Amino acid sequence: MSVQESTFHGFANPVDPTPAELRAWAYKPDSVPLASMPPDWDLLVSGDRLVLTLFDLAMDPTCPARRFALHCLYIYAADGIRTNFRAHPKRRFRKLVEQAERDGDELMKVWAHNGRVLLARPDLFVYRDWCEGGLVRENRRLG
């Protein structure tokens, strides 16, 4: 039985979900609505421990929580770039960008493009776009 077919029963600790819990939730997001999660849950899960899971979810066009995962990838990228990669390893970010460019669909290619633009021009950071979902909602490329 795949994760998508199983029933998700909730997080043992929503502030620190496991990759398996996050993946199971992403395919059954109505089982635990985002509104019931801790404040700023998106910021809490957008770290190194879950970034590969978030990336896999964002790469899957059939994932019901794909846009949430993509939103978290924007947070991850901005957090790394704005801290000069003290928050996250630059190498990991670059590998994710390269994989998205190579294997991703248009949504992921836009994320990769925007990540490269912000890397070259950190002054283009706008909190609303990167951390409040603006770039996900608008699916626009930065110039």
Side-chain angles (χ1 to χ4, degrees):
M1 183 185 314
S2 73
V3 171
Q4 291 88 334
E5 296 166 352
S6 64
T7 303
F8 178 63
H9 298 289
F11 297 99
N13 179 2
V15 173
D16 189 22
T18 67
E21 288 174 333
L22 185 62
R23 184 177 305 282
W25 169 81
Y27 287 96
K28 303 283 184 190
D30 293 337
S31 61
V32 181
L34 277 175
S36 70
M37 298 309 290
D40 298 324
W41 191 61
D42 53 348
L43 301 175
L44 293 172
V45 300
S46 296
D48 284 321
R49 195 165 86 76
L50 296 171
V51 73
L52 297 179
T53 302
L54 291 164
F55 185 82
D56 288 345
L57 297 171
M59 288 286 282
D60 181 359
T62 68
C63 177
R66 181 183 194 201
R67 289 173 58 84
F68 175 79
L70 182 60
H71 164 63
C72 291
L73 289 180
Y74 272 103
I75 293 170
Y76 181 85
D79 195 30
I81 292 166
R82 292 184 64 235
T83 63
N84 200 23
F85 294 98
R86 287 185 306 278
H88 311 298
K90 187 175 195 175
R91 184 172 180 224
R92 178 175 287 161
F93 170 70
R94 284 190 185 273
K95 283 185 172 191
L96 293 174
V97 165
E98 289 166 4
Q99 185 177 348
E101 289 170 337
R102 185 180 62 247
D103 303 326
D105 64 4
E106 186 60 19
L107 278 178
M108 292 304 292
K109 287 180 184 336
V110 169
W111 172 78
H113 168 82
N114 289 343
R116 285 195 185 274
V117 169
L118 189 64
L119 186 57
R121 300 262 327 269
D123 59 301
L124 293 178
F125 174 79
V126 175
Y127 188 85
R128 180 195 157 285
D129 287 343
W130 289 86
C131 300
E132 292 181 345
L135 289 170
V136 175
R137 282 189 300 278
E138 297 163 11
N139 190 33
R140 68 180 161 87
R141 287 178 181 261
L142 296 175

